[in-house]
DNA sequence: TATGAATGAGGATTCATTCAT
DNA sequence: GATGAATGAATCCTCATTCAT
């Protein structure tokens, strides 16, 4: 996976390589559709050899997903703490989001698609992190309404619309596309703020 | 799966029951995370007994997905043929879409999540159908621009925004929700047409 | 395994056959030295096919060991309840024990050798049953001392000597031996009661 | 393992430490239930590092078992050569045996439990040594009968009773027990010579 | 001397599927 | 129509062992 990781979660080069390979395969064939042999083959390695470096297949999914969940949450906290307007906050989120998706389409696919194959406590942890992120988003939107930047509207639906638009980009946004991500984010924000209607 | 099917694709009551069970399980644990035994258990039947009625597991996924793809496409054709404005066409699509998602959340999950586990020709067939649907959507948006209802904009991005907002509803829209689907569709259309900005 | 089983633990013919095969192999190569493939081969079956009838390898060991533990305990209860002298009680135990070992040398080997590879609650259950049996034995010996049939002695050591002599027979006692089991049991009881010393 | 070894089989301090670790683990989880990693962990070492000092896992079992088999046989030879009575010979054997078991319960467990997992020639070698030991024991008993110390009896059964009583002590005899080993050996010899019967 | 990494075989178990009954 | 039994391949993972460093 490509999110920078030099903090406490820093891993050996080997583990990083395995996580990268796993991310690619999970993105392509899904968690349950990917075998450890597939991941090994991606690295020119036997399936069993992977276990020199990792403990289980689910550990891989968890490492990939949880790492993203955490940095996503940290970004939200930073945005919330920043001293700008709700509109600018949303713009920042959209831009960063699309930039990250374009740079890490496989990781994004795993994060949005495969996280639910986690089990037990790990699943709950990720769900909780996502819920906190969503709450942050709603707070921003609510602030926008409160200060008169947005018209009165259902915050929950507004948040879901925003998330739906942004998160679905992992299905088509690729780093080599013709439009740059800032441009796309700008267009999406324009749709959301002013709509399609002429005049 | 619950879309009515009395046309050429009509199936025995047994097959329908199996498809329903498979839809539920595929939605919950994914195609590769679901075993034939799981599906059998869902019906109080042994895994092997399923093969009296069906030919393979992939047949199940294909039947579920292809049936939805086809009716989705037929609806698009009907909408395109109707004599109303682009805005009304989009409104119709949104309303029908959300109504169907709310009524068939499992089928929707399979359709949006699991279709990519199809292989070969079946996968291509579904991709093609989705592409045709997307093209129809873009045609409507383009018509809206052409006749001055929408401001000039990137049709592709507009389509992706629309689809992203609509398709992501399968993650949270449930039949027993407090808001009715027409209301939600209306709100979403309002977001898209006029945006959030006050004034 | 060969102990008759028509009570609540009665199993399908298939399971019985698997348990017999497992008993033979566990006795010969030990629990951990026996693979499911070995057991399958013993039955002309593939390893995976065993799982049509059983749930796990440890289930096999548990079924074998627990069944013996239970019938052993039931026999002890019957002996304790019988209205004869301590000496006769011990004689009965020795005779039945040797008869059973000779008839079921593999089951005996598993029972005395492999039971400790059980884990968790299953291990505890078996330990507890063995402890109850040992307590029964000591009670008999103590009764013998109390009523003056035996000289005063360390009951614990006496019990361990008895058990050591009896239980070790699984190493050499075979159904086709030249001495019959009643004779051997008689000799052992004579050793224990009167010793080797001449005069 | 803890039997002193300064003769031809003398090993490097490392090998001795590995043998000790292996003895402990083999005693606890059995030969096949113990992995090289387990043994390494017991020494704070990686599994692969063991191979700097040893050649194979089976070598470990063989070294442990064969070393005991040899010193056991040497002791038997010494006892046979001594100029005392059969009764005293047996008493010596019992005392030494129990003292060694109490001091080396793990080694004893491996010797009595795990030796049969040896293969081929190594297995035969150990079997032969045990057979020679057993023959020595019978010779002593036979001598006791011949000189009138013991009553006429089946020498084979007498030997098996003696061995059964002695060898089973590895299951319960621990160095920290309340009874000292000489006392226990004395009690066992008293059981064997004079029996339990009062008067 | 010890490590970290790798291997290839094999461990228990589950899989989709078949077929006689 | 459904079952119980079986298959053979594949699942995740552990094994004893090797070897460059």
């Amino acid at each position: 996976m490509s999110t920078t990781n030099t903090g406490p979660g820093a891993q050996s080069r080997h583990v990083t390589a395995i996580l990268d390979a796993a991310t690619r395969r999970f993105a392509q064939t899904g968690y349950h559709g990917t075998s450890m042999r597939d991941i090994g083959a991606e690295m020119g390695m036997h399936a069993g050899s992977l276990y020199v470096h990792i403990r289980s297949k689910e550990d891989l999914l968890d490492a990939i997903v949880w790492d993203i969940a955490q940095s996503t949450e940290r970004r939200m906290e930073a945005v919330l703490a920043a001293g700008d307007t709700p509109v600018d906050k949303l713009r920042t989120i959209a831009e960063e989001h699309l930039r990250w998706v374009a740079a890490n389409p496989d990781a994004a696919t795993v994060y949005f698609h495969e996280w639910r194959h986690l089990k037990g406590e790990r699943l709950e942890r990720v769900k909780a992190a996502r819920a906190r992120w969503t709450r942050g988003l709603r707070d921003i939107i609510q602030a926008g309404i409160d200060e008169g930047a947005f018209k009165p509207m259902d915050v929950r639906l507004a948040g879901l619309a925003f998330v739906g638009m942004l998160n679905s980009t992992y299905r088509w946004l690729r780093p080599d596309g013709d439009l740059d991500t800032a441009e796309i984010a700008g267009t999406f924000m324009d749709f959301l703020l002013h709509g399609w209607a002429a005049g």
Side-chain angles (χ1 to χ4, degrees), chain A:
Chain A
M1 208 219 355
S2 345
T3 45
T4 324
N5 191 335
T6 48
Q11 284 122 352
S12 88
R13 195 142 298 162
H14 287 280
V15 175
T16 306
I18 293 174
L19 286 172
D20 276 343
T23 301
R24 259 173 273 133
R25 301 308 257 107
F26 288 169
Q28 278 162 35
T29 44
Y31 176 69
H32 284 301
T34 299
S35 72
M36 293 307 282
R37 198 195 281 181
D38 290 336
I39 298 173
E42 185 94 8
M43 311 186 57
M45 213 182 226
H46 288 229
S49 305
L50 298 170
Y51 289 85
V52 172
H53 309 286
I54 63 154
R55 274 221 302 266
S56 74
K57 188 186 174 188
E58 211 198 344
D59 270 15
L60 290 179
L61 181 59
D62 184 53
I64 296 166
V65 168
W66 182 236
D67 177 59
I68 299 173
Q70 275 181 302
S71 46
T72 299
E73 202 177 353
R74 276 197 298 272
R75 284 308 309 147
M76 175 57 86
E77 283 163 13
V79 166
L80 285 171
D84 47 12
T85 67
V87 167
D88 282 339
K89 285 187 203 295
L90 292 182
R91 206 179 296 279
T92 303
I93 289 172
E95 275 174 15
E96 289 187 350
H97 192 99
L98 293 212
R99 193 185 319 129
W100 176 76
V101 168
N104 307 278
D106 287 337
T109 302
V110 175
Y111 185 57
F112 295 124
H113 234 114
E114 305 298 323
W115 66 275
R116 67 201 178 111
H117 294 298
L118 286 171
K119 286 179 193 163
E121 200 202 341
R122 293 167 148 180
L123 180 61
E124 297 312 318
R125 202 173 33 156
V126 171
K127 276 185 180 171
R130 295 174 98 93
R132 285 192 298 271
W133 189 89
T134 302
R135 217 172 306 135
L137 178 69
R138 283 188 199 157
D139 288 346
I140 298 175
I141 297 173
Q142 185 63 53
I145 296 172
D146 291 346
E147 65 182 48
F150 302 150
K151 59 192 181 194
M153 56 189 181
D154 184 316
V155 193
R156 204 167 123 268
L157 286 185
L160 289 164
F162 184 85
V163 165
M165 238 166 76
L166 250 58
N167 284 6
S168 65
T169 55
Y170 78 88
R171 293 177 187 262
W172 51 269
L173 190 58
R174 288 296 170 271
D176 49 356
D178 49 343
L179 288 169
D180 91 11
T181 58
E183 217 170 328
I184 298 172
T187 302
F188 274 17
M189 284 306 296
D190 184 60
F191 288 167
L192 227 32
L193 291 176
H194 310 295
W196 296 353

